[in-house]
Amino acid sequence: MTSNIVEIDNLSFGYKGRLLHKGINMVFPRGKVVAIMGGSGSGKTTLLRLIGGQIKPSHGEVRVDGDVVHKQDREGIYTLRRKMGMLFQHGALFTDLSVFDNVAFPMRELTDLPEAMIRDLVLMKLNAVGLRGAHQFMPTELSGGMARRVALARAIALDPAIIMYDEPFAGLDPISMGVICALIRSLNDALGATSIIVSHDVKETFLIADYVYFVANGEVAAEGTPEDLMQSKLPFVHQFVHGDKDGPVPFHYPAGDYRSELLQASSGQKG
Amino acid sequence: MMKSKLMLSMLHHLRGMGHRMIERTWRLGAGARLFFLAIVYSGESFKRFHLTLREIYFTGVMSLLIIIVSAFFVGMVLALQGYNTLQKYGSSEAIGVLVALALVRELGPVVTALLFAGRAGTAITAEIGLMKTTEQLSAMEMMAVNPIARVVAPRFWAGVISMPILASIFSMVGILGGYLVAVPLIGVDDGAFWSQMQANVDFSADIVNGVIKSLVFGVVCTMIALFEGFDAPPTAEGVSRATTRTVVISSLTVLGLDFILTSFMLVV
């Protein structure tokens, strides 16, 4: 058993001739909370999809528990996915099922547990996220934060070894954000799992992550502990962590000369 | 100059036509692949029949009202129009057989399929399209649960099972509607209405062929609805377009297939 449960080795991936990732290397040690950060469109969520085997890399490989993900057949992929739990950005709860049935879904589909045991397990998972009292609700009756917590209970339903979080803090109020933040850390430690968080919320992520990767321009731009990165003098990291308006990521989208464009427009109007 | 502009425009049109042809061929192939996979992963639908039963309720039982009301009016109109023509030839007693044959052979399977596409087909497409948009299908995939086995196959079999039953109900209610207009309203002889029908409607040539048609329409309409939902771009506009395509493609396919099936059935 290797010390890293997930290893990304020289991975490149692209759509329609445009490379999104160019030779990325990352490791995710067992029991740790590791964050992948970067701007919108930097391919963070795509990395989660590559780890989950939903898409195949152009070059390089992703290894989960020693197995190369893209070389697995359908059964092999499903076996690997049984070790994973994933929290989607908006929860992705099944809208035709109640909160209880959503959490019970993976247990009913993937195990032969008797219904009485499933009931107890579901209530335990919901209790862990503080929503045991909401088990009879439908997803449409939940707030954004509650939906995210139910999705988290569903993601840990089968005690996965890897829990992946896709933008877990996006669109939440400060209280819900704090709750999710605390839950990610406490559940990771209680289950002895490895958590991979994809986010661009610096404050919350730095609070719970053991290690952080910054992705920019398809490469790992920086990596280290949250403390190291807070002190980093690297221009990109400094701009991202402190939220500077201008820097390596420019405020202005590339365009021609401002003055000449304005003059051209006014002369065109006169004509 | 003008000539080169014309050439460019023609080239542009040709390229557009080629693109559309390739896209349609690709979609046909993708639809056939989904059909194949739905059959391959059907085991679950029968092993856990409650999944299929739930879908039968949503596609079949929930379509009952529109089927019964439509069938009633279709049957009544058929009787009115049929009587109007038949009485000119002095054979108004044949009204029963006219209504029954029209319904059992053609209108039952075809109108049921058209209504099914509009009611249940659009619901299936919108539901699966929204499941895709809200990442529910991806979530299922990530849980190592196959969405084809869990979502597509039960809905497919529900459609295939529901359609012949709905078509039969359509024909029965239509005949009842025809009877109410022909006998109590117009005054055609009660005995002649039923006896002519009994004597002239053949079990294998009429009823079985009608059931075969509705089975084929069940496969086609459900598969189109499922594929359009699965293939819908994950946006509000994408789901809306997919829903429209379900109705248009299903209706045209049903009408075209009806002609082909009728030709074969009449020859054989």
Side-chain angles (χ1 to χ4, degrees), chain A residues 1-9 26-34 51-52 61-69 79-85 159-164 188 191-196 213:
Chain A
M1 194 165 80
T2 56
S3 61
N4 301 319
I5 192 157
V6 178
E7 292 170 329
I8 296 179
D9 193 5
M26 289 179 181
V27 291
F28 301 87
R30 287 173 198 275
K32 301 287 183 193
V33 175
V34 181
I51 294 170
E61 60 187 36
V62 177
R63 288 187 295 275
V64 172
D65 224 358
D67 295 317
V68 178
V69 175
T79 308
L80 285 182
R81 283 182 189 161
R82 286 190 186 116
K83 298 175 186 173
M84 304 175 190
D159 296 342
I162 306 160
I163 313 172
M164 297 191 279
N188 186 79
L191 296 172
T194 304
S195 295
I196 305 173
Y213 287 99

Side-chain angles (χ1 to χ4, degrees), chain A residues 36-171:
Chain A
I36 303 170
M37 305 194 75
S40 302
S42 57
K44 305 184 297 290
T45 302
T46 310
L47 278 173
L48 291 188
R49 295 182 68 200
L50 283 157
I51 294 170
Q54 286 186 302
I55 43 177
K56 289 185 177 182
S58 317
H59 292 288
E61 60 187 36
V62 177
R63 288 187 295 275
V64 172
D65 224 358
D67 295 317
V68 178
V69 175
H70 75 268
K71 287 187 181 162
Q72 305 296 314
D73 57 10
R74 198 176 182 89
E75 270 312 303
I77 288 275
Y78 277 5
T79 308
L80 285 182
R81 283 182 189 161
R82 286 190 186 116
K83 298 175 186 173
M84 304 175 190
M86 183 154 175
L87 178 74
F88 284 82
Q89 191 169 350
H90 298 291
L93 292 176
F94 302 127
T95 43
D96 57 335
L97 300 180
S98 69
V99 164
F100 183 95
D101 290 332
N102 260 284
V103 182
F105 185 86
M107 300 176 194
R108 287 179 180 147
E109 293 294 322
L110 302 173
T111 70
D112 295 321
L113 292 172
E115 200 56 31
M117 192 178 281
I118 287 177
R119 183 185 170 275
D120 291 348
L121 284 171
V122 171
L123 293 178
M124 281 161 70
K125 301 294 174 189
L126 282 171
N127 198 51
V129 298
L131 289 176
R132 185 166 46 86
H135 70 88
Q136 77 282 19
F137 289 172
M138 291 304 284
T140 45
E141 297 172 290
L142 303 174
S143 68
M146 286 167 87
R148 213 73 63 91
R149 281 152 72 186
V150 173
L152 181 52
R154 189 181 65 181
I156 59 163
L158 296 175
D159 296 342
I162 306 160
I163 313 172
M164 297 191 279
Y165 299 88
D166 186 11
E167 301 286 4
F169 314 114

Side-chain angles (χ1 to χ4, degrees), chain B residues 10-23:
Chain B
M10 274 177 62
L11 210 66
H12 181 73
H13 279 293
L14 270 174
R15 200 178 293 156
M17 270 171 61
H19 178 72
R20 279 193 293 275
M21 282 286 286
I22 290 170
E23 198 197 316

